[in-house]
Structure formats: structure tokens, C-alpha cells
Amino acid sequence: MLHELLLALVGYTGDLIIDEREHQKSLGVNLSPDAPISDQRSFKLASDISFIDPAERDLIERLITLGFYYRELDRFAAKSRNLSWIRSADVSPLDRASELSKPKAQKPSVYRRAIANGLVEILSLYRSAVLQIEQKLLSETMPILATVTQGLNKFFVILPPLYDLILEIERDDIRGGQLLNLLHKRCHCGVPELQACIQRLLWHGHQVLYNQLASWMVYGILQDQHGEFFIRRQEESDVEYGSSIPDISEKLARLSTDDSSLRDWHLGFHIFLDMLPEYIHMRVAESILFAGKAIRVLRNPSPAFQFQDALGNQRKTQGFQKVQRLAGHIPLPKEPLLNIKVIGEELLPQSEADKIETMLQDLKESSEFHKRSFEYSVDSIRAIAASHLWQLVVVRADLNGHLKALKDYFLLAKGDFFQCFLEESRQLMRLPPRQSTAEADLMVPFQLAAIKTIGEEDKYFSKVSLRMPSFGITMKSSQVDLPKTKTYADGSSGAVLSNTSSETSLDGWDGIALEYSVDWPLQLFFTQEVLSKYRRIFQYLLRLKRTQMELEKSWASVMHQDHTDFAIHRNDRINCSISQPRRQRFRPMWRVREHMAFLIRNLQFYIQVDVIESQWNVLQSHIQDSHDFTELVGFHQEYLSALISQSFLDIGSVSRILDSIMTLCLQFCWNIENQESSQNTSELERIIEEFNKKSNSLYTILRSSRLAGSQRAPFLRRFLLRMNFNSFFETTARGVMNVVRPRPSVPVSNQQ
């Protein structure tokens, strides 16, 4: 009887101790090794045994439940450790077809296999305890049942919870990070023996996690063939159907380049929350994701970048050899060898990779998981990756030079170039753009301006190209063929500048845009979203500069015409008497033109000096102080956000008023040159009245308490001080708000 009990304790039943499921085999119960774990304790003492006392029967049935737990745990371990799936890649097509016809097998799991290894260790301790009990029973002359109970007593607090654990794993198909999360929760118990066992299982699971982390953060390889890691490759279906609007813009960037490293950086990988254990914070997971992507970039440089980098090194070497040759030290070789291969160690030295691997190895060898140590190691690895990525982008790829080029051309820092371009294209822009040739028409003045103002030393100009977006995409077709004297809609704005306004500009030239050619690895920094913000600011600034130039040109044109008329007719009393009232009649309009120029000049000075230059200095200080790529990306995003915010492009009411004011200024300039007709006079009066309303509304909004308390306040106060230095705007705005009386659009001539 004792021998059969010992066999039952290690999972083998017989005549006295039976498995009820074996009697149910005729009813279709599956007892194969791949069968699910039983949720019913089926080991029972045979009912026809009459020589055992009821107390002993209860004790034996309590003991044989340990045998049931052992057998089910052993079955789970054997099933989870089955490696037959490894050979599935070499299966012939016929065998694969036969396998597909069979019922679907359970998907393999590396984490379950690791947990199964831990279970095997625990079960080996149990088998050793049973073996010791057997030896003790054999050595005793009068073996007693209490010896078995005393030897296995500690397993009554270990095996039942482990059995419940594997039941839950099987029932809910728990795998990967979810399995680690379950074990981490079960570690918090008040039984030291059970806590030690579950911590050992968690240790085995963490070995797999650390191996995946090492593959990802040391070599940039995602080793996860069963989808159990919380870093996952982005599927095409996810990109197509689960993307937001910024994701779509990055997808376009992905489609426009053939470099796989850039595709991986922007859209290749993401955090799969279902497999992220709860004890790993989202910030830590994002650091792991960034570190792996950075290592992939550093270990796989673009071939074009390799060539450029090698060419640059060759030029430096040639320059050094030339100096040495002139000094008479060494002869210059006739054909220096060009090494176009950048060794991976230059971007990520092997010593740094070894340091990362050592950190992960220390975590792997620790007997317990310490959250603080894990987060510290991840932050350290992320800092190493970010530092080397910063070295690649900032130093090797000359980030600051490209930032300066974007400032020169997209933020109009090269004012002489754009002044020349607008002057060369002024007559062209007086006509509606032609849909088929608008971009080609603009290239002539663009190249002329470059010849006159851009020197050969500016190597970044070749990366800038002028674009006139298709009217069918960024502008309505009704914009194309409108005459220049057509009345502009109040509050209209360019289609590219203001996405919130349903109105569109009647001037098709507002769609002029710049494109910047970005090479690897700068696409990691200058994404399509970033370049779209630069284009948005550029279109706004170019329209502002064009308005300011038209106001100056109109004044010069009218004054030249007036002086010519005065010189021709100075001896003609009749014509002089006619010309003098005309000058008196239009002099108030020239005063309004000065008001327009005053507002546009101050707005332009505010944006270029108070906003762009000040934010540029802040960005430069951040670039000098920071050696972290992610910090640098954040600083640049803050820089662009500050430019848009402090230029009022993010406030629909202000941007619409400013667009309307610029539209009215252009209308005024185009109409004031045709002063002879009475129709133009009435049109000018309407334009002046609208300008007065819009300028007063602008001042009122900028003085509002909402803007006074925002981040724009310090620079905004300077702008308001320049505008209202003599309280003119404040007085007129207060008069409009109190509706004292309507302000005449054209002052009476006898007030002069």
C-alpha cells in the first residue's frame, strides 16, 4: 500500500489509487499529453478498499492530491518545453498540408518554456523529497503513514497555488509580458516558501526578457518570433487603418524614401501595451523603444552617408598631406585611396556596446527583480544611445548648419535674397498664376535673385527648391483666373496658412512654398511634420514681406507720378489749378497708406527680431548645452511652437484679421495707382474703412486679458508699445467699442 502511495505521489496510479479520468476514457475524455490541464482533482482511493480506517483514508486522499498536482504540473512543463515547433520551418509542403488539416495546436511561447524550466526545478525538489521518504520507509522496521505526511508537509502550501497558476495560464492563454505580470502579482504573498518558488519562476521569465532586451538594445534586432515582447514591429495594416493625421504625414515621409532605417525610425516599431508588464512604467518602455531604434540607426548607416563621410575624411587627409608636403616632410601620393566605408565602431564604439551588454548581464544575474535598478540601467542605456545619435546628427551631419539654412530661407533671414526675388517677380505676381506654368514662371526670378545675392560659398542653397502647389490640392480652381481688381473677401486667408478657415485667398500666389532636401540621418530630426511647420511660417512671412514691399513701391510710384505731373504742368495755370485739388483729395489716402505701412513694418519687425531672433538664440544655447538627441528634438519642437504661437498663427481670429489686413493693403496699392476713375475712388474709400475696422479689432484682441497672461506676453507688450506709442490705436479702438460716432474713412481735404 505504501509503495502504491509513493508511486501515486509522482503521478502513477494503480489498483488502490486510481485516476477517475481513466474510467471516463470510454466517454471520450482526452488523456493525451497535449490535453488541457484538468480542473478536477481526479486522484482517488478505490472505493472498494475496506481494510483502511476512515481517518487514514482521509489522510491518504489528502496526500494523493499532491500526486495529482505533480502530474498536472509535469504535463504542463513537458508540453511547454516541447521543441518540435523549431523544426516546422523545414517541413515539406505535403507534411505541412497534413499538419494544417489537423486541429490547431497551441501557439508556442518562449516565456512559457522558461516558466516550465522553473517548474521542473521545483518538481525535482518534490521528487527528491518523495525519494527520501521512500528510503526512510525502507529503513524503518515499522513504516508509518506519518513519515510521508511529515516529509511532504511543506508542499501543501506550494503545489496547490502553482496548480492554480498553470490553470489560469492555460485558461486565459497568458503569454509573454502578461505572464510576467501575473507572476509579479503572485509574488506578493505571505508564505515564504511559495514566494521563493514564484520568484524563481519570475526569474526564469526575466531571463527571456533580458535576452530580448539585449538583442534589441545592443544590436538593434527585434528577437520576438511569437509576438510576446512589448516592442513590436508596426504592421502595414496598422499604418493603413489605425493612423491619426500626424501618422499619415509620417507615412508619406516613409513612402518618399527608400532607406529602411528611416522607415523603421518613424513607423517601424511601437509599444504593444497588451504585452507590457504593469511594473514597467510607460516612460521606461519608451526609453527602451528609443534606445533600440537609435542602435539600429547607428549600426546601419546609409550608403550615401558613408560615401559623403569618407569623402570628407579624404579631403581632410589630403589637406593635411598637402601642408606636410609644402613643409617638406612627406610626399603627397598620386592617387590617394578613397575608403567609402564608415566602420560601425565610429558611430557606436564596441566599448559602448559592451557597456550596455554588461548592464543587462548584471540585471540578468540578479536573483530578484529590482525595479529601481532596472529603470536606472535602462535610463543609462538610453543616455548612451542618445549621446551617440546626437554625435551622428549634430556633429557628423552638421545639424546646426542646416538649421541656419532653414532660418535663412524659410524664416527669411536672407532678406536681400527675398527682396530681390519679390522685385524680380513683382510684375508676374500682378497677374493671376497660370495653373500649368506657374512654378516654371517663378523659377526665372528665383534664379536671378540667387545669382545676384547668393554666393558660391552657400552650399545649402542647392537643397532649397521653389514649389507652386497644384491648385487642385491646396487651392480652389476659382482662385486662378480672378482679375487683380476683384474685391477680396473679408477675413480670407491662404489655404495653406489657415486650416481653420473655410475661406480661401483670392491671390493664388499665396501658395508659394519652399522645399528642403534632407539627407540621412537628418530625416530623423527634420520630419515631414517639422518641415510643414517651416513651410507654414515661410508662406506667412513671404506674404508679409510682399505686402510691405508693395506699400513702399506704391508710395514711390505715386510720388514719382505726382512729381512728373507737377514738373510738366508747373507753367500751366489751368492744369495746375486742376492738379492741386486732386493732390489735396488724395493726400488723406497717402496718410492711410502710411498707417498701413506703419502696422506692417512693426509686425514684420516684431516677428523677425522679437520672435525669430530671440527664439533662435534660445535654441542655440540649448544646442550648445545638450548632448542628448531626444532633448534636442524637444528643444526644436519648442522653438517651432514658439514661432507659431508668438506669430499668432495658432489663433484663428488674429490670423484671419492679419490676412485681411494684408489683403486690404495689396488692394489699396493696386487701386491707388489708378486714381483717375471715380469707381477706384469709391473702392479706395471702402478699403480704407475696412482697414480701420480691422486694425482697431486687431489692437483690441491683442490687448485682451487672455493674451496678456500667455507665454506671448513679454514679446507682445513690445509689439503693442510700438504700435500704440502715441495712444492712437487705443483712442480709436475705444471710440469704435463705445460707438461714439462712425470714423470717416477718408478725412476731409480742408483738415489738411
Side-chain angles (χ1 to χ4, degrees):
M1 178 66 190
L2 287 175
H3 282 90
E4 189 155 346
L5 174 61
L6 292 175
L7 287 172
L9 288 175
V10 290
Y12 296 98
T13 57
D15 295 331
L16 299 179
I17 300 173
I18 62 173
D19 185 355
E20 290 183 339
R21 291 195 303 172
E22 293 183 359
H23 296 280
Q24 300 174 359
K25 189 181 296 184
S26 59
L27 301 177
V29 176
N30 185 9
L31 295 181
S32 65
D34 294 331
I37 303 300
S38 173
D39 57 354
Q40 298 292 332
R41 295 166 182 83
S42 58
F43 280 22
K44 299 292 181 182
L45 197 59
S47 59
D48 56 351
I49 299 177
S50 59
F51 59 86
I52 298 178
D53 294 336
E56 290 181 341
R57 175 182 287 272
D58 293 339
L59 183 57
I60 292 174
E61 287 191 345
R62 181 170 178 263
L63 283 171
I64 61 178
T65 56
L66 292 180
F68 169 78
Y69 295 142
Y70 170 84
R71 192 186 70 175
E72 296 303 310
L73 289 169
D74 187 61
R75 285 182 59 230
F76 175 83
K79 183 166 56 174
S80 299
R81 299 176 76 197
N82 183 13
L83 298 179
S84 61
W85 51 269
I86 294 179
R87 298 189 298 271
S88 61
D90 301 327
V91 175
S92 64
L94 292 177
D95 294 337
R96 187 178 299 276
S98 62
E99 287 182 1
L100 292 176
S101 63
K102 297 178 182 179
K104 185 178 180 182
Q106 189 175 20
K107 191 174 181 182
S109 169
V110 182
Y111 281 85
R112 282 198 192 179
R113 174 172 169 77
I115 302 304
N117 290 333
L119 284 176
V120 169
E121 291 182 2
I122 298 171
L123 294 180
S124 66
L125 297 176
Y126 173 80
R127 286 196 305 272
S128 298
V130 174
L131 182 59
Q132 290 178 3
I133 292 172
E134 183 184 23
Q135 292 173 351
K136 187 177 294 186
L137 290 174
L138 292 175
S139 64
E140 293 180 357
T141 57
M142 292 293 293
I144 58 175
L145 199 57
T147 303
V148 181
T149 305
Q150 187 271 337
L152 298 179
N153 193 43
K154 64 178 180 180
F155 290 100
F156 283 103
V157 297
I158 295 177
L159 296 188
L162 292 180
Y163 168 73
D164 293 336
L165 176 67
I166 64 169
L167 266 183
E168 185 176 353
I169 293 173
E170 284 261 322
R171 182 182 67 248
D172 299 334
D173 191 24
I174 300 175
R175 4 172 337 100
Q178 297 174 347
L179 185 55
L180 296 180
N181 196 54
L182 176 63
L183 292 173
H184 188 265
K185 289 180 179 179
R186 294 291 181 93
C187 279
H188 304 292
C189 65
V191 183
E193 295 86 354
L194 177 61
Q195 185 177 17
C197 289
I198 297 182
Q199 282 182 345
R200 185 62 181 174
L201 297 182
L202 184 61
W203 181 87
H204 278 279
H206 279 149
Q207 299 306 296
V208 179
L209 176 65
Y210 291 135
N211 287 337
Q212 290 179 325
L213 288 176
S215 176
W216 175 248
M217 301 173 74
V218 177
Y219 303 101
I221 300 173
L222 185 61
Q223 192 71 27
D224 182 32
Q225 63 185 111
H226 304 304
E228 298 181 285
F229 194 36
F230 57 84
I231 304 297
R232 184 166 293 187
R233 180 172 285 279
Q234 187 86 0
E235 299 295 337
E236 292 296 331
S237 58
D238 298 336
V239 176
E240 292 290 341
Y241 303 109
S243 301
S244 59
I245 293 177
D247 294 334
I248 294 174
S249 66
E250 290 192 344
K251 181 191 173 188
L252 295 177
R254 179 179 66 87
L255 296 176
S256 64
T257 179
D258 294 331
D259 200 314
S260 60
S261 63
L262 297 177
R263 293 198 301 269
D264 289 346
W265 179 267
H266 292 299
L267 290 170
F269 303 93
H270 71 288
I271 297 175
F272 187 54
L273 295 178
D274 290 346
M275 289 298 172
L276 179 64
E278 293 180 2
Y279 56 88
I280 297 180
H281 196 272
M282 187 65 183
R283 177 190 62 80
V284 180
E286 290 175 347
S287 297
I288 294 172
L289 175 63
F290 169 81
K293 294 198 301 182
I295 296 300
R296 288 178 67 89
V297 170
L298 294 171
R299 287 190 176 274
N300 299 281
S302 169
F305 178 78
Q306 292 178 357
F307 180 81
Q308 293 175 0
D309 192 81
L311 188 61
N313 292 336
Q314 183 203 23
R315 288 171 179 169
K316 293 179 182 178
T317 304
Q318 286 179 344
F320 175 77
Q321 291 176 343
K322 184 176 181 181
V323 172
Q324 295 293 327
R325 181 170 178 261
L326 291 175
H329 294 119
I330 58 173
L332 183 66
K334 297 180 180 180
E335 295 182 357
L337 297 177
L338 178 62
N339 180 19
I340 64 172
K341 182 178 181 181
V342 175
I343 302 175
E345 286 193 6
E346 295 183 10
L347 301 181
L348 182 67
Q350 186 60 39
S351 60
E352 297 292 333
D354 293 341
K355 187 187 299 183
I356 296 174
E357 192 170 8
T358 302
M359 292 182 190
L360 294 175
Q361 188 65 29
D362 292 340
L363 292 175
K364 188 176 180 180
E365 293 175 354
S366 177
S367 60
E368 295 183 13
F369 177 82
H370 298 284
K371 183 177 179 181
R372 187 168 297 177
S373 300
F374 178 78
E375 293 181 354
Y376 175 78
S377 299
V378 168
D379 289 340
S380 301
I381 294 171
R382 181 206 156 279
I384 292 174
S387 175
H388 286 283
L389 195 59
W390 179 92
Q391 183 76 16
L392 170 65
V393 174
V394 176
V395 179
R396 285 182 175 267
D398 189 22
L399 175 67
N400 211 31
H402 290 275
L403 284 172
K404 181 65 168 58
L406 287 170
K407 177 174 177 281
D408 287 343
Y409 296 106
F410 283 80
L411 305 183
L412 272 62
K414 282 191 176 294
D416 55 343
F417 169 73
F418 287 101
Q419 180 73 22
C420 184
F421 167 68
L422 290 174
E423 288 180 354
E424 294 289 345
S425 61
R426 184 169 179 247
Q427 296 302 321
L428 174 65
M429 292 187 184
R430 287 295 186 93
L431 301 173
R434 291 177 293 183
Q435 185 169 5
S436 58
T437 62
E439 186 173 312
D441 293 339
L442 282 175
M443 289 306 299
V444 176
F446 190 77
Q447 294 297 335
L448 285 175
I451 293 173
K452 293 180 179 179
T453 59
I454 303 297
E456 294 181 357
E457 67 277 2
D458 190 351
K459 60 181 180 180
Y460 301 102
F461 179 72
S462 60
K463 296 183 175 295
V464 179
S465 58
L466 190 67
R467 291 289 178 265
M468 191 68 185
S470 172
F471 295 100
I473 297 176
T474 58
M475 300 178 213
K476 294 182 179 178
S477 59
S478 58
Q479 293 176 279
V480 180
D481 297 323
L482 292 172
K484 64 181 181 182
T485 58
K486 194 79 172 179
T487 302
Y488 280 53
D490 180 50
S492 62
S493 61
V496 181
L497 279 177
S498 179
N499 295 329
T500 59
S501 175
S502 60
E503 300 171 345
T504 54
S505 172
L506 295 181
D507 186 357
W509 298 107
D510 290 342
I512 296 175
L514 285 184
E515 296 290 340
Y516 194 79
S517 174
V518 182
D519 298 326
W520 191 94
L522 290 174
Q523 293 102 329
L524 308 180
F525 192 86
F526 297 115
T527 63
Q528 288 300 310
E529 183 183 1
V530 167
L531 293 177
S532 66
K533 290 181 179 179
Y534 272 107
R535 282 192 291 269
R536 182 183 180 192
I537 300 172
F538 164 76
Q539 289 175 316
Y540 177 68
L541 293 178
L542 185 67
R543 190 179 185 198
L544 186 63
K545 188 170 185 64
R546 180 188 174 198
T547 303
Q548 181 252 344
M549 188 195 73
E550 285 293 338
L551 288 169
E552 293 178 354
K553 293 291 185 181
S554 65
W555 171 253
S557 175
V558 171
M559 287 298 97
H560 176 74
Q561 184 62 39
D562 185 74
H563 293 162
T564 301
D565 293 344
F566 181 79
I568 293 175
H569 303 291
R570 67 179 182 272
N571 296 325
D572 191 337
R573 296 181 180 179
I574 298 177
N575 288 333
C576 185
S577 62
I578 295 175
S579 177
Q580 190 66 24
R582 188 185 66 173
R583 297 180 65 192
Q584 292 292 336
R585 186 171 68 252
F586 284 102
R587 185 171 296 171
M589 295 184 185
W590 300 340
R591 185 182 300 115
V592 172
R593 188 216 65 87
E594 180 57 33
H595 291 170
M596 292 179 173
F598 174 80
L599 176 60
I600 296 298
R601 277 199 307 269
N602 279 284
L603 177 61
Q604 193 176 24
F605 186 85
Y606 160 74
I607 293 177
Q608 292 288 350
V609 177
D610 293 339
V611 176
I612 295 178
E613 287 299 327
S614 63
Q615 294 300 324
W616 171 258
N617 293 333
V618 172
L619 178 63
Q620 289 298 301
S621 64
H622 285 320
I623 292 176
Q624 294 176 1
D625 298 338
S626 174
H627 287 76
D628 189 304
F629 178 80
T630 49
E631 286 183 359
L632 205 57
V633 171
F635 292 143
H636 187 246
Q637 291 289 352
E638 292 175 3
Y639 166 72
L640 287 178
S641 298
L643 294 185
I644 292 175
S645 173
Q646 295 178 18
S647 300
F648 317 116
L649 290 176
D650 60 337
I651 305 178
S653 57
V654 177
S655 62
R656 283 192 293 270
I657 289 176
L658 289 174
D659 287 339
S660 300
I661 288 175
M662 286 187 280
T663 298
L664 292 169
C665 291
L666 291 176
Q667 287 183 357
F668 180 85
C669 295
W670 294 340
N671 281 275
I672 201 173
E673 297 180 11
N674 301 321
Q675 298 176 0
E676 300 298 333
S677 65
S678 59
Q679 181 180 357
N680 281 343
T681 302
S682 61
E683 179 67 14
L684 283 170
E685 291 178 353
R686 186 199 65 79
I687 293 173
I688 294 171
E689 182 179 0
E690 287 295 322
F691 171 76
N692 291 331
K693 290 180 181 178
K694 295 295 182 183
S695 59
N696 290 332
S697 299
L698 174 66
Y699 180 78
T700 303
I701 294 176
L702 295 181
R703 283 292 302 269
S704 65
S705 57
R706 183 171 67 90
L707 292 183
S710 66
Q711 61 173 347
R712 309 175 181 88
F715 307 101
L716 181 59
R717 282 194 284 269
R718 298 180 189 176
F719 178 48
L720 292 174
L721 179 62
R722 293 193 189 98
M723 281 182 60
N724 194 44
F725 72 98
N726 60 355
S727 301
F728 173 79
F729 278 97
E730 183 178 2
T731 303
T732 53
R734 187 184 298 117
V736 171
M737 291 180 64
N738 296 331
V739 195
V740 177
R741 63 176 182 275
R743 187 165 176 259
S745 58
V746 182
V748 183
S749 59
N750 57 16
Q751 291 180 353
Q752 302 302 318

